[in-house]
Amino acid sequence: MEKPISGQVESLRKELAAAGERIIYEIFPSKIIQLHKLVQNTSDLDSPVYKSEKLNGSPSDAHTTKKRKLEGEESEESSKARDSSPVPLRAMIDILHTIIKKEAEELIASIDEVKLWVSLSMPRIEDGDNFGVQVQEEIVSELHRAQESAYNLRDNTRQDFLARAKICSKIVKYPTVEDYPVNTLVYFSLARLTVTLNQRALLEHDDKYFYLAQRNVIDLRALYAVLTDLVQKNIDKIRKPKANNRTAMY
């Protein structure tokens, strides 16, 4: 490799090392504190708030029969709908989903930088004194597992919306099925708001994903905490994997 290019590569290595250590010693600890506060704020929340009163009226009496689809007329599927009023969104759940999605994406990006830093810190392959390299490889594996977990947490938002859309479509189309509609009082203690709903299946779904969203925030905090602890305890082996073979991995 030519000297100018070699110098640039070495400069890049130093930049990546500095960025990796800044992530481990500054960014990750700040994320732990931030998510810990969020966990404390969301742990006392009850069921989600609905800003719209949906399906409180009686469904239409007549059932529309099949008819040909003509220009300017509603489609056969929409004509069968018993209730056309919009199903409300969940304010608190959607806020948590937005936070989780953002934090998961930031964690994935940060792990990419740390993985590259650790990988480029590995010495050349040779016989003997490879314990430090084994520590580095284990750290890279743990970073990869954490990244996969972050991908899964981010995907929970999509799964929630897909499953909820199916329930909402059935509520609109089949409001007389008792497993879907039932009068239920939902109370949201933080905002002191009450609203009457008649979607039993939808309420159960939202209650489940509200709980899962709270758990996902805890999982993100745990990922940041475990990675920070692991890398900081073994930072000497990352910086100088061949320096001291007597120190064991934590």
Side-chain angles (χ1 to χ4, degrees):
M1 187 181 297
E2 296 181 2
K3 287 187 178 180
I5 298 178
S6 177
Q8 292 177 8
V9 172
E10 186 61 30
S11 177
L12 176 61
R13 288 176 184 270
K14 292 180 180 179
E15 290 178 7
L16 291 172
E21 295 202 19
R22 185 174 67 86
I23 289 173
I24 294 301
Y25 284 99
E26 297 179 18
I27 296 179
F28 276 13
S30 65
K31 288 292 185 181
I32 295 171
I33 300 301
Q34 177 184 340
L35 290 172
H36 181 66
K37 292 180 179 178
L38 182 60
V39 168
Q40 292 179 322
N41 291 335
T42 59
S43 61
D44 297 330
L45 299 182
D46 294 331
S47 299
V49 169
Y50 292 80
K51 295 183 178 180
S52 152
E53 293 187 3
K54 166 76 175 100
L55 295 176
N56 286 323
S58 59
S60 58
D61 297 328
H63 178 73
T64 306
T65 58
K66 291 184 178 180
K67 54 185 177 181
R68 290 181 301 173
K69 186 177 179 181
L70 302 176
E71 185 176 358
E73 291 183 344
E74 293 181 335
S75 66
E76 177 186 326
E77 193 68 22
S78 62
S79 67
K80 288 184 178 181
R82 296 297 187 91
D83 196 311
S84 59
S85 56
V87 179
L89 291 174
R90 307 82 34 96
M92 195 62 219
I93 300 179
D94 290 344
I95 290 173
L96 286 177
H97 276 328
T98 301
I99 294 174
I100 292 168
K101 184 177 178 181
K102 174 178 175 293
E103 294 296 336
E105 291 174 350
E106 290 182 0
L107 177 57
I108 291 169
S110 295
I111 289 177
D112 278 333
E113 292 192 45
V114 177
K115 282 169 59 178
L116 183 57
W117 162 47
V118 176
S119 297
L120 293 179
S121 299
M122 293 182 181
R124 65 183 181 182
I125 300 174
E126 57 186 7
D127 294 334
D129 195 17
N130 287 322
F131 179 74
V133 179
Q134 294 174 4
V135 172
Q136 290 178 322
E137 291 175 345
E138 182 62 29
I139 290 174
V140 171
S141 297
E142 189 63 33
L143 288 167
H144 179 72
R145 287 191 289 269
Q147 199 169 41
E148 289 295 319
S149 298
Y151 278 121
N152 292 333
L153 291 175
R154 188 191 183 284
D155 190 53
N156 284 342
T157 300
R158 179 187 62 86
Q159 296 176 5
D160 177 19
F161 282 112
L162 286 175
R164 192 174 193 270
K166 292 181 180 179
I167 296 175
C168 292
S169 64
K170 291 180 179 179
I171 290 174
V172 172
K173 189 174 181 181
Y174 306 112
T176 58
V177 178
E178 293 184 357
D179 280 339
Y180 293 119
V182 64
N183 288 328
T184 307
L185 184 65
V186 179
Y187 182 70
F188 187 65
S189 60
L190 184 65
R192 301 293 191 270
L193 296 174
T194 58
V195 60
T196 302
L197 305 176
N198 59 352
Q199 307 109 309
R200 183 177 183 177
L202 184 62
L203 178 62
E204 291 296 329
H205 171 87
D206 288 344
D207 184 65
K208 169 189 174 182
Y209 274 91
F210 183 68
Y211 172 77
L212 289 178
Q214 292 175 315
R215 301 306 305 178
N216 289 343
V217 174
I218 295 175
D219 291 341
L220 278 170
R221 181 190 62 179
L223 288 174
Y224 276 113
V226 169
L227 293 179
T228 301
D229 185 68
L230 177 65
V231 177
Q232 287 186 1
K233 284 180 176 178
N234 296 281
I235 190 65
D236 291 337
K237 287 298 180 184
I238 296 176
R239 291 170 176 167
K240 297 180 180 179
K242 298 277 189 179
N244 184 4
N245 198 32
R246 292 176 297 174
T247 304
M249 178 180 177
Y250 289 90

